[in-house]
Amino acid sequence: MTISLDVKVPMLHEFHSYLYQPEWKYMESKEKDRQVLEDFPTISMEFRKLSKVYQDVISDICHKMGVGMAEFLEKKVDSQHEWDKYCHYVAGLVGIGLSRLFSASELEDPIVGQDTELANSMGLFLQKTNIIRDYLEDQLEGREFWPREVWSRYAKKLSDLAKPENIDMAVQCLNELITNALHHVPDVLTYLSRLKNQSVFNFCAIPQVMAIATLAACYNNKQVFRGVVKIRKGQAVTLMMDATNIQAVKAIMYQYVEEIYQKIPSTDPSSNKTQQVIASIRTMSLPGGPMASRHHYSPIYLSCAMLLAALSWQYLSTISKATEEYVQAGEN
């Protein structure tokens, strides 16, 4: 960690205000992404060129995200509720902010930006997928994001799941977390069904189908605890090309939840819950129904706003990246 807590916490709380300060930058970071901090005047200048309606959204989301990240600087993710909360701060708020921008630009109907529960689920599904897939990488880097409430039923320490003698319990824990993540899929499908603009739809749908394919690859897979589990490049390209309308996305979701269903072990403690959530996804993903028509319209100001939101999120991630390492060091 290269930024001390007494500097980092106030910085996170006040970050949104730095967007309005032309000269603000931070030169003391030693992290690999420090250029974002050092060149922040360039980012904030672009921010101030945006219309006030977009500035207000981005500033509000950055404020909430900064406060949330500061909250998790000194604590681990214990309960499943805290897992949802952490994922909300680092990804759900991104979904909410982008949804508000889509509506503010009039590319999408007001309901897209107003329904924060669905927008939050879009972010949580992606973040949980990343956390599940990256178990081993995070362990090697000293980070822990799996909720203690779940993994403590399978091991004394989260790191114990990587031991060969614990592989059966580890896979059961993995399957329980994947089942948890699958509960967001109905919200994802409802959200995507409301989108009208083709560019916005593609932007939102592609990461979601990548996520369901990743979960299908990880489910009941011992390799999660031994190396990296990734979908094939050809598979990723096919998903990107196919996920262009809601019926296609439903078909993709149906395909991968069926793949998961076929792999459910009868002895798995979460098998009934997994089957239940897959049944609900099947109901929403059944073939048929008209494909929604979409308008091709992608204004430059929306692209700028989304880019700035992404850069702002990257900045917040940069200055809070060492959270887990700090906590680990404090415990040691």
Side-chain angles (χ1 to χ4, degrees):
M1 183 179 68
T2 63
I3 304 177
S4 62
L5 280 182
D6 61 339
V7 173
K8 183 181 296 185
V9 171
M11 191 182 296
L12 284 167
H13 280 280
E14 297 300 322
F15 169 72
H16 65 291
S17 67
Y18 301 149
L19 292 166
Y20 299 95
Q21 299 177 26
E23 303 302 323
W24 187 90
K25 58 184 175 181
Y26 188 79
M27 306 297 293
E28 304 302 319
S29 174
K30 304 300 181 184
E31 303 292 339
K32 63 180 181 180
D33 297 321
R34 62 183 178 274
Q35 184 178 355
V36 175
L37 305 177
E38 295 171 355
D39 293 342
F40 199 75
T42 302
I43 298 173
S44 64
M45 178 180 65
E46 295 302 321
F47 168 83
R48 291 188 299 276
K49 291 179 182 178
L50 297 172
S51 299
K52 185 177 184 301
V53 64
Y54 305 125
Q55 290 187 21
D56 290 347
V57 171
I58 294 170
S59 177
D60 178 54
I61 293 300
C62 289
H63 185 199
K64 292 175 179 176
M65 188 177 290
V67 170
M69 287 184 170
E71 177 183 338
F72 278 90
L73 279 174
E74 297 182 276
K75 71 176 184 180
K76 292 184 178 180
V77 179
D78 285 329
S79 67
Q80 293 184 66
H81 172 73
E82 286 184 336
W83 197 36
D84 283 354
K85 193 175 184 181
Y86 172 79
C87 291
H88 165 73
Y89 286 140
V90 302
L93 282 171
V94 176
I96 292 170
L98 289 172
S99 299
R100 289 170 60 185
L101 291 175
F102 297 153
S103 294
S105 67
E106 299 184 354
L107 290 179
E108 300 296 344
D109 292 334
I111 187 63
V112 172
Q114 293 167 357
D115 196 335
T116 57
E117 184 175 348
L118 293 188
N120 187 58
S121 277
M122 292 282 285
L124 262 61
F125 185 56
L126 300 181
Q127 186 66 23
K128 287 182 177 181
T129 297
N130 290 339
I131 288 173
I132 291 167
R133 179 200 62 200
D134 294 341
Y135 164 84
L136 189 60
E137 177 184 336
D138 287 336
Q139 280 295 299
L140 295 174
E141 296 293 332
R143 300 185 295 261
E144 294 190 357
F145 297 113
W146 284 24
R148 179 186 296 270
E149 179 184 344
V150 176
W151 65 255
S152 62
R153 293 197 289 268
Y154 302 92
K156 292 183 179 180
K157 296 187 297 181
L158 182 56
S159 59
D160 288 345
L161 294 177
K163 297 179 179 179
E165 62 269 26
N166 297 328
I167 192 61
D168 291 339
M169 297 296 282
V171 169
Q172 290 178 4
C173 181
L174 168 70
N175 291 347
E176 181 173 345
L177 290 180
I178 290 177
T179 299
N180 177 295
L182 289 174
H183 281 88
H184 297 291
V185 173
D187 280 353
V188 168
L189 292 174
T190 300
Y191 180 96
L192 294 174
S193 70
R194 291 176 174 174
L195 301 180
K196 299 185 298 183
N197 179 273
Q198 186 68 57
S199 296
V200 172
F201 185 89
N202 293 350
F203 177 84
C204 295
I206 291 173
Q208 303 296 330
V209 296
M210 296 287 191
I212 191 66
T214 299
L215 290 182
C218 290
Y219 185 82
N220 209 48
N221 189 348
K222 298 177 182 179
Q223 187 61 26
V224 171
F225 303 95
R226 298 170 176 168
V228 180
V229 176
K230 292 183 178 180
I231 59 177
R232 301 183 305 276
K233 290 183 179 179
Q235 184 181 7
V237 171
T238 299
L239 289 170
M240 293 175 65
M241 294 177 65
D242 289 349
T244 57
N245 61 77
I246 187 59
Q247 294 304 324
V249 170
K250 286 182 176 180
I252 292 169
M253 292 290 186
Y254 189 93
Q255 170 191 342
Y256 285 108
V257 296
E258 284 299 304
E259 183 177 317
I260 292 173
Y261 184 83
Q262 295 302 320
K263 295 192 291 185
I264 299 175
S266 59
T267 57
D268 190 273
S270 304
S271 60
N272 288 337
K273 291 182 179 179
T274 310
Q275 291 168 354
Q276 289 171 7
V277 70
I278 287 178
S280 68
I281 297 171
R282 280 172 171 166
T283 301
M284 295 188 69
S285 304
L286 289 174
M291 293 188 181
S293 61
R294 308 188 186 283
H295 304 289
H296 294 265
Y297 178 53
S298 181
I300 189 64
Y301 55 75
L302 178 63
S303 298
C304 291
M306 290 190 295
L307 175 61
L308 185 56
L311 288 171
S312 298
W313 175 80
Q314 183 182 2
Y315 166 77
L316 284 166
S317 298
T318 298
I319 63 175
S320 64
K321 184 178 179 181
T323 297
E324 289 70 30
E325 288 88 337
Y326 179 86
V327 173
Q328 293 284 90
E331 291 180 344
N332 297 332

